[in-house]
Amino acid sequence: MAGSKIRILVGKPGLDGHDRGAKVVALALRDAGMEVVYSGLHRTLEQIVASAVQEGVDVIGLSIMSGAHIPICRRLLALMKTRGSKRFPWWSAA
């Protein structure tokens, strides 16, 4: 990865339609020299993990306003372990 840009997927899981903060963070990351993929609104965690694997990102960032961040992140990590294990080998070993 030496010399290559960090690739980040910014996701908005669930039914929350407020994405201004996610877009601001995505722009700030881009301005800092990273490649950013924004998944759009109303995505399932399955869609977010599939996009992360397809896009070959290094990091997944979630914007969650529902207050359910703990169960959502636990489910995301479980999906990464089962569906994204080839893309996220560091997580599969955990």
Side-chain angles (χ1 to χ4, degrees):
M1 192 161 144
S4 65
K5 289 185 177 184
I6 296 172
R7 291 180 52 84
I8 299 173
L9 179 121
V10 176
K12 281 292 295 178
L15 299 176
D16 175 23
H18 299 91
D19 65 347
R20 174 83 49 150
K23 288 179 178 178
V24 168
V25 169
L27 287 173
L29 293 169
R30 186 199 65 192
D31 291 347
M34 300 173 202
E35 290 184 37
V36 180
V37 177
Y38 175 58
S39 71
L41 291 170
H42 311 300
R43 298 293 183 239
T44 66
L45 292 176
E46 290 83 357
Q47 290 172 319
I48 290 170
V49 170
S51 293
V53 171
Q54 179 181 355
E55 294 287 341
V57 300
D58 303 302
V59 177
I60 298 173
L62 298 179
S63 175
I64 304 167
M65 293 184 65
S66 69
H69 53 283
I70 300 287
I72 289 172
C73 289
R74 284 184 179 148
R75 184 147 180 260
L76 177 80
L77 292 172
L79 288 167
M80 288 171 58
K81 192 168 189 174
T82 59
R83 299 184 183 177
S85 61
K86 291 179 184 159
R87 176 65 201 137
F88 305 105
W90 50 267
W91 178 252
S92 300

